[in-house]
Amino acid sequence: MVRYNLLWLGFVIFAVVLTAAGDELQDIAAREIIMKWRQNPVSLDTDDLLPGQERKIESVRKILPAEDRRSPLSKLMVVRAKDRLTAQALLAQLRVDSRVEYAEMRPLRYVDGSRSGRNEGGGALDVVPDDPFYSQQWGLQAVDAEAAWMEVVGDPSVAIAINDVGVWFGHPELEHARWQNDAEVNGAEGVDDDGNGYIDDLYGYDFVGMDGDPTPEPFTVEQTHGTHVAGIAVAARNNGRGIAGIASGCRIMAVRTGQGNSITHGYEGILYACRSGVKIINCSWGGGSDSQYEQEVIQYALDHGCVIVASAGNGNTIERHYPSSLEGVLSVAATGLGDRAASFTHYGPSIKVSAPGINILSTLWEENGNPSYAAWQGTSMSAPLVAGICALTELKFPTLSGRELAARVIASSEPIDAVNPDYAGWLGIGRVNAWRAVADELEGVRFAEVRVSETTGNGDQRIIPGETAAIAVSVYNDLVPVGGVVGTISSTLDSLLISSPVSVYGTVPEGGPFSGGSPFQLMIAENSSRRRAIPITIDWTGSEGRSIGRATQQVVLDTSWVTVDNGSIRLGFGEDGSLGYHDYIGNVTLGPGLRIAEGPTQTLYHGSFILGVDGKVADNASTHGNDIRYDWRIVDGEYAQLISSERADIEAKAAFEDRGSEPLDQLFARIDARALAWNDEAAKQFLILEYTVTNRSVNPWLNAYWGFFMDWDIVASEINS
């Protein structure tokens, strides 16, 4: 074997800145890429943005056409390729483009409701309300709707966004419930009167047809899902006709984001409703894959005071379902008579509440286009019941923030674990209760943050199998002060061993964040794989043992990085040849980048060690054809770690080989890497990276070169190198 010792000496001396039917919709989703630029582009001209790709691209547009350029969301774009193969190739290129923060295919979701029989009539109810089918609306009675209506009645000042396949306001139960955009209704035709980037969005918007008419299209029975959902929320009460909605009197903003069973533009719909001032957004749909774009949109809406109510899914599984599994979303499972879990409902730790979802009578139309009613089932039907309770709660407590409103609806739920022993802890805090939400003085807490620290191990703060971690979880309290608060941690991961599952918080006043008295203690089993996002659930109870809060979170205990930090320079040093960032677990970008104390936060997005030998190259930076492939792989047992050093105040080591290369392209190289830094003033302005290259093959290398790919964050990304 031949070894070559290489040194790189880095001096930091510059200032930097951080810079058709369902099938048709599915085809569109397969051709559209959601991407986020790292710097806001000057124009949307395809020639400028993606030179050389013009013939492959059908269109480029902003997600939010009128968003302020200072907003991170202004950097979100949709690129539509001319065919599916081109889209996949373009996606691969965009993911390694230094100008792009992330790129992914458009998330495709599906509605969570289905027909469960027709209703041809109903007996009169000898009590208020006078809607003739009210006696068949068992779900309203289960959530104490009548008692809630004695406290508060629906009002047009509050709207619920039905983000779905469209809503037909020609139904007599809905004709007076249509939200309207006053600026556009009173404005000029063909003009964007309110300046939001959408022309003539008088009563909502259609993101499928790209116009201001959110009526289902085509007008067939298959397109009635959104209308059924809307009726559950706001169908007229006491009109001597049909049914009653839980929040009758409130308005519906219709946002058409799909067709048939497919939802393709749900997240644009969330943003539209949020920016239009609607606080409660109902999403009776979802899917099983996570999305970075999705997370960003949901977080934006939560941060801007919205309540996202989402159906938990109809798969009879504990698997995650999005957006309902994202922390902060008011996820709703389905129950039947006697508060028993519906046979179809998703369940699990991310569920916040449950609500009736079997044989739920609501509005639709017949084949001949006449208004009608039918009983459907699904978590799609449970969600708008909860959204309606949110609307009543907003009317009773108009000063509540979105998070406070959601906390109140969650905290007012009735425990149902006793009748669902097989689902205990997996149907949320309980089944919603409309009366308690608007009348009771409630206790409740919500998740603030997780802090992880190593308690036993080598002290590098990366928790690997066999080491123990302390997990400190803090909370906010948006409701009344509560005493005797206890938190309990659990996980669906069998290899996570929890030795101290309980933390005593004591009295938690209003505000926050507040931490428990002692952290939770856990360990990853010895035989577990590394670099995993650990799913944890935290349940909080109050003084009487009543559930007052629940949160689920993905916690990364171990990454492929260590941080070399001398107080002046901080560098992410990866075990696979990477520098800065480049570790994705659960769509979370990991790695601390490169920070210079005297400059802005980050200066390096991603770097990689590159080795070229006799016309072949190994790296973790470039594309090979249309495929993203990372050549460097960790040497078994040689993960990146900080070590004791006689040469420097701080030393980190890693070792990697080009085992990720295609067999014919392998160099059979091993790289032993070191990073060295010092704390004294004279040496704090630089660090040293040292690489020892070993030729493991039986053949000599005739021409060998080494170097770095560095995707810097210097000034604007489009002029970086």
Side-chain angles (χ1 to χ4, degrees), residues 1 6 58 203 265 300 421 495 504 524 528 535 559 573 627 659:
M1 294 188 193
L6 312 171
E58 185 175 304
Y203 308 110
H265 294 69
Y300 176 93
S495 59
V504 177
I524 306 175
S528 302
T559 78
F573 181 73
D627 297 325
R659 290 180 287 107

Side-chain angles (χ1 to χ4, degrees), residues 36 63-64 67 71-76 271 296-297 300:
K36 185 178 182 182
I63 292 285
L64 295 177
E67 185 72 0
S71 166
L73 294 182
S74 68
K75 302 173 186 176
L76 285 168
L271 290 173
E296 187 162 3
V297 168
Y300 176 93

Side-chain angles (χ1 to χ4, degrees), residues 273-321:
C274 177
R275 295 167 75 242
S276 299
V278 176
K279 180 181 287 188
I280 303 161
I281 304 172
N282 187 87
C283 302
S284 288
W285 44 264
S289 59
D290 201 354
S291 155
Q292 194 165 348
Y293 162 58
E294 170 183 82
Q295 293 182 43
E296 187 162 3
V297 168
I298 293 295
Q299 194 60 52
Y300 176 93
L302 295 174
D303 290 344
H304 285 76
C306 294
V307 179
I308 310 296
V309 183
S311 53
N314 297 342
N316 184 27
T317 177
I318 199 172
E319 297 298 322
R320 292 174 69 82
H321 177 272

